[in-house]
Amino acid sequence: MKLIFTVLLLISFFSTFAQVTFTDVAPAMGVDDIGNGQGVSSIDFDNDGFIDIFLVNNGQPCRLFRNDLGIGFTDVASTLGVNNNGNGRGCAIGDFNNDGLTDIVIGNFSQSCILYWNDSTAFTNVTTAAGMNFTTWGGSINWFDYNNDSRLDCYIGNDGIPTHANYLFANNDLSTFTEVAASVGLTDDLSTLSTATADYDNDGDLDIFIGNQSGSPTGVLFQNNGGSFTDVSVSSGLETYSYTWGADWGDFDNDGDLDLYLANSNAGNQCFVNNGDGTFTESAAFLGIADPTSSFSCGWADFDNDGDLDLYVANASSGVDKLYRNEGATFTDVAASVGTNDTRHSNSTTWADFNNDGFLDLYLSNNGSENRLYMSNAGNSNHWLELKLVGITVNRSAIGARVRIVADGSSQIREVQGGSGHNGQNSLPVEFGLGAITTVDSIIVNWPGGPVDIHTNIAADQIISVTEGQPIVSVELSNFATPVGYVLAQNYPNPFNPSTTIEYSLPERTDVKLSVINIVGEEVTELVNQTMDAGNHRVEFNAANLPSGVYFYRLQAGNPSTGSGQSFITSKKMILLK
């Protein structure tokens, strides 16, 4: 059993802990949504570089809170066609048709699941056309490419009595699906509450854990044999007899393999430490994270950026939520001291960096009371690195990709997840805390199915776009909260095909010209040429009629009230890849 964790490897990641605290800004930012909150996922649906929030309600309309440049949110669910008001339970996000836009699937209770296709202007319900109009009894959903064919498949766990078989919808052709669960060995038909996929045995394909509230054992671990599955629950030691509502994989001890935390409702929570040989040892009590209350969801995240994963546990109304800080060999609950000790009926959680400051924030879906958005105050000087992965020959969302960073002799890993916790999902970008480290020696990306990219000598404290087979691109972000000067932000996404978003900030009413220039200095299109009010602005640029290559976009601005002429001019580079 690996209970002697790799403390020496962690030392260089640690810095003296300074208090990172959180403030609930949900009411101020318009995302408190006092309703029957169920599942929640972080999603950048419009590819503007700011993480949005998709919330599933039960018997009330779903919400899609668009992130308005990190300073607030606007519910656009009705406008964009995703305001379903059925018996909602959970959701997951992923680009099922590899068109560069993130789609949504919803699990309902005793109703058909819903597959929403994102076409950049709205979402369209394509459930029937896609062959997924199956009645579901829950919302535990994972997108994952189970057979490494570069197409995302969808696993849906079914709850309810009598019990119902779970579904695995295999992606046929990026538009239609076939249900294949039984034929590939995923024979679980118990009362499923949670699902979580990960490559626990480091063999290059995604395995799946299924948490139930019936059966013996209740928890089932299926090992992926390259497209078929074998139940290894007993032989691996990962067997549980608890009602597991939430499950999340993460390498909390930085030893290079993924461990599994379970949020249970009828017994203490469990943490199965990966021994690296295909077996696990349950160690929650030893680690100090065997929360005895009725837990519903959980999520690993390095909230203080010190180089190891911490743990949030969302409890039902019978308990207080916990935030366990990783001390290197054990954990300490710091929820009360940092301000995340929520006492509501927390159903689902999602971690994301909503304001792009390098520190993770937390959204809670609370059933029957106001939701929470705990925004981090970024209260220490620890360094960080965020990676937005884009697949080319693999699935575009890069779900299942394994990222390993090496810095100052130590290493960390993350996997891009297609579902996490309970009935929801964390954001697709992966985040690393670095402590005092300012340069990452190498980034190794194992893309699903085999391709590997290695990048070296990467500066900390930046968000980078990592596209399969391409050089790293730094994403230049600005905080648009208060326009105190002219700002031209980096376009999103970059590289792009064929559309991208350009954002800029104006401190005053002014004449604006925004144009696109080719590599030889010729203007190829004019996006804006008018007088505009002060504030934050965005423009969608469609380059469908242009060839691949390097382009520049140029912002020119002047104050018409003073007749001062051009007082600001700047350009940025963008890359069109077709």
Side-chain angles (χ1 to χ4, degrees):
M1 179 177 72
K2 293 190 211 174
L3 293 181
I4 301 175
F5 302 136
T6 53
V7 177
L8 292 177
L9 290 179
L10 290 172
I11 290 175
S12 65
F13 279 113
F14 283 105
S15 67
T16 300
F17 178 76
Q19 188 79 322
V20 173
T21 61
F22 294 83
T23 302
D24 177 21
V25 298
M29 289 197 169
V31 292
D32 49 339
D33 190 56
I34 303 173
N36 296 322
Q38 300 291 313
V40 62
S41 293
S42 295
I43 173 176
D44 184 5
F45 77 89
D46 51 4
N47 285 342
D48 67 350
F50 288 85
I51 304 296
D52 315 295
I53 300 170
F54 184 73
L55 172 67
V56 174
N57 285 316
N58 177 22
Q60 295 175 328
C62 296
R63 310 290 188 188
L64 178 56
F65 295 114
R66 186 189 65 213
N67 188 336
D68 296 327
L69 307 178
I71 60 175
F73 292 81
T74 301
D75 181 15
V76 295
S78 177
T79 302
L80 298 183
V82 288
N83 59 328
N84 175 65
N85 63 350
N87 299 326
R89 286 296 189 269
C91 56
I93 58 128
D95 182 2
F96 79 86
N97 56 359
N98 287 343
D99 65 354
L101 297 163
T102 308
D103 311 296
I104 300 172
V105 65
I106 296 175
N108 295 305
F109 194 85
S110 193
Q111 294 176 343
S112 174
C113 63
I114 300 177
L115 176 63
Y116 284 114
W117 167 52
N118 182 353
D119 71 358
S120 80
T121 60
F123 287 84
T124 301
N125 184 342
V126 296
T127 313
T128 300
M132 286 179 62
N133 55 327
F134 282 50
T135 299
T136 53
W137 290 270
S140 52
I141 305 171
N142 264 253
W143 286 107
F144 75 125
D145 183 4
Y146 83 94
N147 55 0
N148 282 336
D149 66 354
S150 302
R151 299 188 291 265
L152 282 180
D153 313 294
C154 185
Y155 190 83
I156 299 181
N158 286 312
D159 186 11
I161 298 174
T163 56
H164 303 279
N166 296 336
Y167 304 138
L168 174 60
F169 292 104
N171 194 328
N172 299 319
D173 52 11
L174 301 179
S175 62
T176 64
F177 294 81
T178 300
E179 203 289 302
V180 299
S183 66
V184 300
L186 291 175
T187 55
D188 186 88
D189 62 355
L190 305 174
S191 185
T192 297
L193 299 171
S194 60
T195 60
T197 59
D199 183 10
Y200 83 87
D201 52 3
N202 294 344
D203 66 350
D205 50 31
L206 290 175
D207 315 291
I208 184 167
F209 172 82
I210 300 168
N212 301 301
Q213 64 174 344
S214 62
S216 182
T218 53
V220 185
L221 176 63
F222 285 101
Q223 184 181 45
N224 193 334
N225 306 310
S228 65
F229 294 84
T230 301
D231 181 355
V232 295
S233 309
V234 176
S235 62
S236 69
L238 206 163
E239 56 181 314
T240 177
Y241 298 88
S242 302
Y243 297 170
T244 301
W245 287 78
D248 200 27
W249 294 93
D251 183 17
F252 76 89
D253 50 5
N254 285 343
D255 65 352
D257 48 39
L258 293 169
D259 314 295
L260 181 65
Y261 189 81
L262 304 182
N264 300 320
S265 67
N266 67 330
N269 294 343
Q270 296 167 293
C271 184
F272 287 90
V273 178
N274 194 328
N275 298 318
D277 58 2
T279 67
F280 295 82
T281 301
E282 202 289 300
S283 309
F286 174 86
L287 295 166
I289 51 179
D291 192 331
T293 53
S294 180
S295 299
F296 269 43
S297 189
C298 56
W300 297 105
D302 185 0
F303 83 90
D304 51 6
N305 282 342
D306 67 349
D308 52 27
L309 288 174
D310 311 294
L311 176 69
Y312 193 85
V313 178
N315 293 313
S317 55
S318 60
V320 181
D321 290 0
K322 307 293 176 57
L323 178 56
Y324 292 106
R325 187 178 70 221
N326 192 335
E327 308 288 4
T330 59
F331 290 77
T332 301
D333 178 22
V334 296
S337 63
V338 305
T340 60
N341 53 330
D342 188 68
T343 58
R344 306 293 182 175
H345 194 296
S346 301
N347 266 357
S348 186
T349 64
T350 183
W351 285 101
D353 181 7
F354 291 112
N355 58 355
N356 290 330
D357 67 351
F359 283 76
L360 286 167
D361 314 297
L362 178 68
Y363 189 83
L364 297 184
S365 170
N366 288 330
N367 187 11
S369 58
E370 66 272 17
N371 297 338
R372 308 286 196 190
L373 175 52
Y374 288 118
M375 193 72 74
S376 172
N377 74 344
N380 66 29
S381 59
N382 286 342
H383 300 285
W384 53 272
L385 189 67
E386 293 185 14
L387 292 78
K388 299 186 176 185
L389 275 65
V390 180
I392 298 297
T393 67
V394 305
N395 74 85
R396 189 63 59 90
S397 296
I399 289 173
R402 169 77 64 88
V403 182
R404 178 172 175 253
I405 67 165
V406 179
D408 198 23
S410 301
S411 66
Q412 301 179 56
I413 64 170
R414 301 284 189 272
E415 275 190 1
V416 182
Q417 297 177 307
S420 56
H422 173 64
N423 289 1
Q425 189 173 348
N426 296 325
S427 62
L428 291 175
V430 294
E431 303 89 4
F432 293 91
L434 300 174
I437 294 172
T438 58
T439 302
V440 172
D441 300 322
S442 61
I443 297 174
I444 303 97
V445 182
N446 288 86
W447 301 93
V452 179
D453 287 336
I454 300 176
H455 307 277
T456 58
N457 195 31
I458 301 97
D461 301 328
Q462 61 172 330
I463 299 175
I464 58 177
S465 178
V466 183
T467 300
E468 180 192 351
Q470 302 293 330
I472 281 177
V473 176
S474 178
V475 178
E476 298 179 26
L477 295 168
S478 299
N479 188 338
F480 287 83
T482 305
V484 295
Y486 292 101
V487 177
L488 179 63
Q490 187 66 45
N491 63 301
Y492 298 98
N494 188 38
F496 67 100
N497 177 30
S499 297
T500 189
T501 300
I502 298 172
E503 296 168 338
Y504 53 97
S505 180
L506 307 174
E508 57 187 343
R509 181 174 171 82
T510 183
D511 291 330
V512 174
K513 181 177 181 181
L514 180 65
S515 52
V516 177
I517 313 297
N518 64 20
I519 194 68
V520 296
E522 301 170 333
E523 182 176 302
V524 296
T525 188
E526 185 179 87
L527 301 176
V528 178
N529 191 353
Q530 65 184 84
T531 301
M532 304 188 71
D533 291 330
N536 306 310
H537 304 273
R538 68 173 70 186
V539 174
E540 302 295 327
F541 170 49
N542 190 310
N545 62 337
L546 295 176
S548 297
V550 174
Y551 293 87
F552 299 86
Y553 54 101
R554 182 173 63 197
L555 178 68
Q556 303 173 74
N559 192 337
S561 63
T562 62
S564 60
Q566 299 302 331
S567 58
F568 178 82
I569 181 169
T570 191
S571 301
K572 288 187 180 294
K573 181 173 70 174
M574 58 184 171
I575 302 172
L576 174 62
L577 292 179
K578 292 187 174 180

